[in-house]
Amino acid sequence: MEQVIANGLYLGAQYALIALGLTLIFALMNVLNFAHGQMYVLGGFVVYQVYGLMKLPFVVALVAAAATLAVLGALLERFLFRTVIRRSEREESTMLLAAGIAYFLDAAILLMFGEKQRGVHKIVSGVFVWDNLILPWDRILVAGLAVLFIVAFILMMQYTKPGRAMRAMAQDRTAAQLMGVPVQFYGLVGFALGAMLAGLVGGLLVTITGVNSGIGGPISIKAFMMVMIGGAGVTGGAIAGGFILGMLESVGLTVLHAYGDLTYLAIFVAMMIFLAIRPNGLMGKPWG
Amino acid sequence: MTDPILAVRDLTKRYGGLTAVNEVSFDVQEGEILSIIGPNGAGKSTIFKLISSFVTPTRGEVRFRGEVVSGLAAHVVARKGVVRTFQETTIFKGMTARDSVIVAHHLRSRASLFGFFFGTAAARRDEDAFGRSADEILDFLGLGAVRNELASNLPQGHLRALGIAIGLAADPKILLLDEPFAGMNVDETNQAVEMVRAVRDRGVTCLLVEHDMAAVMKISDRIVVINFGVKIAEGTPAAIRADEKVIEAYLGVEDESIGL
Amino acid sequence: MLRMVPLPRFAGEETGACCFPPPCSEAKRGRGTTRRVVEGARRSALGYLGDEPMSRTQGAGRAAAVAVFLAAVFVAIPWAIASTGRTDLYYTLSSVALLAIASGGVWLTFYIGRINIGQGAWALAGGYASAVLVATYGWSFWLSLPAAGLICAFASVLVGLPILRLRGVYFSMVTLVLTEVARLTALALPITNGARGITSIPTPGPIRLFGLTIVPAFDSLAEPNRAFYFLSAAMMTLCFAGLWRLVHSRLGQLFAALRQNEDLASSMGVNVPLLRVVAYAISSFLGGVGGAIFVAIAQSIYPSSFTINDSVNFMLNCFLGGLGFVFGPMLGTLVLYFGWDLLFQTGPYQLLIYSGSMILLMLVLPNGILSLLNLRRRAP
Ligand SMILES: Nc1ncnc2c1ncn2[C@@H]1O[C@H](COP(=O)(O)OP(=O)(O)O)[C@@H](O)[C@H]1O
Ligand SMILES: [Mg+2]
């Protein structure tokens, strides 16, 4: 039992961080980032390259992953999303663009890193044992780092000037613009930040589950689910959604162990029923 | 007194801890122009949403010609003849003025939707009749010249008129107009006031929410004043002007927000 | 899915038919509006539904476009294939036609203002419905085809009633998840035979009416793929004709009203929830029909026959062709499918170039290929 909860929390911390990035991009740009999972995968491969192959310290690798993804996110916003948003008649067009980018990153990652499952050696070894609870130290460390990043993100959004500007922008873009917030610039910052969060989680989790070029899509879908459960565009919602999904997976995989895929079927169906009752998720604002 | 066309009884709406509308009751007589006024956030638009059944009341009820309509689906209430327009200029952006009004005739159609799919004779007859009726309504509201313009290209005044035209096309018995004069200058407002009078003279009872005091005083047969979700006064324009509670309520707020 | 096929030589064939500007009858309207009416005629013949008053003087132009289209699909293409011996193209073009049908369904949900990334679920459901009816219960394929469509339509009413209340990205994300639900359900149910799928499904039998054979059994034909091509192309023509009629009927006008403003529509007395479900049911019907024919061609179906990738592709087909055009999904499917096939020779770079050009296309033509017609009008 404790084991199930501990696993749920560990998964939840990672998921929450992924969902935060997705929801940030959505809140600021009204873009559903289909390529979020691919950004996660890219982060994993950067750490694999720097930490696993080049044998540099893990911290350096993690910073490299964050920086790579932040730059990638900024470039995508500046040169692709901004243009399409400006030119298109319907804002849904960004979905096509995002889907195209997802395919593109998939292809690029496959070409650069091949299709093999890649892992790196443990960042710390040993196992934490307490009563019947058994947790490897590296999982605890990774979960701790994820929580640390979440807290840092919340603090930044609450107390720094860019954070306040982005919150204002998420509330009401036009009003924020009238108040003098340079919305274009913060759109770029938000995109970079969202991509960076995805890369950070990828970089953290590669040390435990490894990474392969095919998991981008499934990760995106999980991220979508978390955001839907919690409510799109809301920080608290993303965090709640992440932990809820983590917990559900942990419980489901234990209870429905024998049936494998049934866990996800059950989660999906439960989520659709939940959304039928609460169309805006737990904390989402009414849409449209 | 005759039976009211619309009777609002103890209408209450709570959003979480906030009581947006609190125990409001009033009657609307057939053929009158009744205005609801009050400061911003008083709960006027919420009353409209409750009457038109876009939201369900926490307590209380709305009767239209004696029949309880609160709790029914919005489109059912609209078909009975309680039609609302929106505070924001809400229109079909991608359609021409004429097409928007034609679409709004949907209620009156006798041919089935599948009749329309296959273009049966009844459907074609309806189609023509709707076109003629739409033209008539557009001319009536002074939109004849812009009937083939895209709605999204129309100026503010025309948009308000188009909102009313769409409402009229749905064949209302009572039309709820949410701030029909907002964003208009004096000339435009005067024209719009005449427009609302003309609508009433067609036999449509009008219920207004409005900020523009001058216009309200000019146009209304009776006025209901709402403050913090509560009805604080009801009466003729002259009586409202002299009412102390009203003056008090309005003195507490900035002039601009009530448009005095 | 059914992608890795040899390089086609004349992919432009059908495109030509699609883009053919019909000779417009000179308008009988006022002087100043002539140009606009003519342009309107040209674009409305292509099913453009945009921001212009629909002119009603384009009968001739439209008829010509339809005639050219029919001649190309049912005469020119079979003739060209016969004379070049590239019979493999029958299979490719059948796939395009079927995917276009499913995309047409997605287009209809776009038309009511919902971004549907779940058509793969209905294609899969339709495929399985037909497969089970034919292989397990011994139904004729010809009966199973409408049955598959109706089963999908019915199921989509049940699913649609709750999820169509969702808007914007919520609806999109839920439909995306729906594709996964369909796949996992197919894996879990006994009747679908789990991961092993259903194989060796008999080909369509004959249709006999009053002792007359109207359609021969497909396995008695020398070239079953040719028969499948005619079947798919005919179904595509039928479905798009139906769609075109639909959006130009009153129902279509109401659908457009929903897309533009659901609240306003319901304030006029439009039964918004009902219309949304009707549109979604029609959309799923098309998905199911497309899936069912696909299964008949492949003679097998697996849980992975239609996946999230297919759902996304259906959506992309609509975007790429142009959401403002009824025939957009047809063109989009053709271009994406052949684009992908053409890139086959680039080997490992196929996906990279494919997605790269998709991104480029988005930058250049963010409103779809058919929006080129609008550009030409704006720059006189
Ligand atoms: N959907 C809602 N959820 C929560 N609060 C609401 C909602 N709609 C209105 N309110 C609140 O109810 C009060 C009355 O709003 P409204 O009826 O729009 O005022 P008015 O039209 O008189 O300016 C306001 O305080 C508003 O914030
Ligand atoms: Mg209001």
Side-chain angles (χ1 to χ4, degrees), chain B residues 17 61 75 115 199:
Chain B
E61 64 183 27
H75 71 270
V199 168

Side-chain angles (χ1 to χ4, degrees), chain A residues 22 26 30-32 34 79-81 83-84 87-90 92-97 99-101 103-108 111 221 223-225 227-228 230-233 261-262 264-265 268-269 271-272 275-281 284-285 287-288, chain C residues 48 110-111 113 115 117 159 162-163 165-170 172-174 176-178 180-185 187-188 259 308-310 312-313 315-316 319-320 323-324 348-349 351-356 358-359 362-367 371 374 378:
Chain A
L22 187 70
F26 174 71
N30 213 357
V31 166
L32 184 57
F34 269 89
F79 292 105
L80 299 180
F81 283 98
T83 317
V84 170
R87 288 203 201 150
S88 154
E89 279 168 21
R90 306 172 60 140
E92 299 100 299
S93 300
T94 55
M95 270 199 183
L96 171 60
L97 179 61
I101 291 172
Y103 283 145
F104 189 83
L105 288 180
D106 257 341
L111 282 175
I221 292 191
F224 292 169
M225 290 184 51
V227 166
M228 275 189 284
D261 286 335
L262 228 51
Y264 285 98
L265 188 57
F268 287 152
V269 172
M271 189 198 70
M272 291 176 73
L275 280 178
I277 301 164
R278 276 196 77 99
N280 302 309
K285 288 170 284 188
W287 180 266
Chain C
Y48 182 65
F110 268 116
Y111 198 69
I115 307 167
I117 326 181
V159 174
I163 71 169
R165 292 173 54 212
L166 306 175
R167 297 188 194 187
V169 286
Y170 286 96
S172 312
M173 292 192 279
V174 165
L176 193 65
V177 169
L178 191 64
E180 269 302 280
V181 170
R183 186 179 71 86
L184 293 173
T185 309
L187 270 174
R259 177 183 70 234
I308 285 187
N309 263 343
D310 295 293
V312 171
N313 278 333
M315 174 191 78
L316 295 185
F319 266 125
L320 190 77
L323 292 176
Y349 299 99
L351 184 58
L352 195 74
I353 300 176
Y354 176 79
S355 52
M358 205 154 83
I359 293 171
M362 267 317 283
L363 287 178
V364 186
L365 288 175
N367 300 314
S371 69
N374 293 359
R378 261 174 223 149

Side-chain angles (χ1 to χ4, degrees), chain A residues 44-245:
Chain A
F45 273 114
V46 171
V47 167
Y48 165 75
Q49 188 75 27
V50 176
Y51 173 66
L53 298 182
M54 295 159 65
K55 309 284 184 207
L56 292 174
F58 180 67
V59 181
V60 175
L62 207 55
V63 170
T68 311
L69 268 298
V71 170
L72 178 72
L75 290 177
L76 288 177
E77 199 282 334
R78 174 66 188 79
F79 292 105
L80 299 180
F81 283 98
R82 198 178 287 182
T83 317
V84 170
I85 289 174
R86 187 160 38 85
R87 288 203 201 150
S88 154
E89 279 168 21
R90 306 172 60 140
E91 54 186 38
E92 299 100 299
S93 300
T94 55
M95 270 199 183
L96 171 60
L97 179 61
I101 291 172
Y103 283 145
F104 189 83
L105 288 180
D106 257 341
I109 291 170
L110 187 66
L111 282 175
M112 280 189 289
F113 299 102
E115 58 191 24
K116 278 214 194 79
Q117 169 83 14
R118 301 289 188 184
V120 296
H121 42 271
K122 281 176 177 290
I123 34 178
V124 285
S125 53
V127 179
F128 169 82
V129 184
W130 184 69
D131 214 7
N132 5 350
L133 184 66
I134 303 167
L135 274 179
W137 275 112
D138 59 347
R139 289 201 179 206
I140 297 176
L141 179 63
V142 161
L145 281 176
V147 171
L148 189 73
F149 290 139
I150 294 173
V151 171
F153 178 81
I154 295 175
L155 290 179
M156 188 215 69
M157 289 304 272
Q158 285 299 329
Y159 298 111
T160 66
K161 189 169 157 251
R164 277 195 298 268
M166 282 192 271
R167 272 189 299 144
M169 211 174 132
Q171 284 279 325
D172 187 335
R173 195 184 168 95
T174 329
Q177 192 162 21
L178 291 177
M179 279 156 46
V181 175
V183 290
Q184 273 208 334
F185 173 71
Y186 281 114
L188 185 131
V189 171
F191 220 104
L193 205 57
M196 188 182 91
L197 289 178
L200 273 178
V201 190
L204 286 176
L205 279 188
V206 68
T207 65
I208 291 169
T209 50
V211 65
N212 80 65
S213 54
I215 59 171
I219 295 275
S220 288
I221 292 191
K222 278 190 188 171
F224 292 169
M225 290 184 51
M226 300 173 237
V227 166
M228 275 189 284
I229 293 172
V234 190
T235 313
I239 295 173
F243 277 101
I244 289 172
L245 186 68

Side-chain angles (χ1 to χ4, degrees), chain C residues 8-24:
Chain C
R9 242 173 255 150
F10 43 91
E13 196 81 51
E14 243 182 28
T15 330
C18 264
C19 295
F20 183 79
C24 300

Side-chain angles (χ1 to χ4, degrees), chain C residues 73-243:
Chain C
V73 171
F74 293 102
V75 181
I77 289 179
W79 174 81
I81 289 179
S83 56
T84 54
R86 294 282 316 265
T87 46
D88 55 293
L89 279 176
Y90 278 134
Y91 177 76
T92 316
L93 287 171
S94 304
S95 307
V96 170
L98 297 175
L99 295 174
I101 292 175
S103 305
V106 175
W107 184 88
L108 189 65
T109 35
F110 268 116
Y111 198 69
I112 61 162
R114 291 291 194 281
I115 307 167
N116 180 356
I117 326 181
Q119 188 73 327
W122 300 114
L124 194 68
Y128 267 112
S130 166
V132 168
L133 288 175
V134 172
T136 313
Y137 294 101
W139 283 36
S140 152
F141 164 78
W142 301 106
L143 279 178
S144 84
L145 183 59
L150 290 175
I151 288 171
C152 287
F154 180 74
S156 75
V157 169
L158 298 183
V159 174
L161 278 174
I163 71 169
L164 282 163
R165 292 173 54 212
L166 306 175
R167 297 188 194 187
V169 286
Y170 286 96
F171 183 78
S172 312
M173 292 192 279
V174 165
T175 52
L176 193 65
V177 169
L178 191 64
T179 321
E180 269 302 280
V181 170
R183 186 179 71 86
L184 293 173
T185 309
L187 270 174
L189 287 183
I191 197 169
T192 51
N193 203 20
R196 271 159 295 150
I198 301 175
T199 49
S200 322
I201 302 167
T203 48
I207 302 182
R208 291 203 192 85
L209 254 186
F210 310 117
L212 260 152
T213 305
I214 300 171
V215 177
F218 276 29
D219 54 6
S220 72
L221 296 173
E223 266 191 296
N225 273 347
R226 196 174 127 101
F228 274 120
Y229 169 75
F230 277 109
L231 171 65
S232 313
M235 283 307 289
M236 179 182 78
T237 310
L238 210 63
C239 289
F240 276 87
L243 265 187

Side-chain angles (χ1 to χ4, degrees), chain B residues 8-12 22-26 59-61:
Chain B
V8 174
R9 288 289 168 271
D10 301 330
L11 209 53
T12 303
N22 198 357
E23 310 253 316
V24 170
S25 303
F26 59 88
R59 241 166 49 72
E61 64 183 27

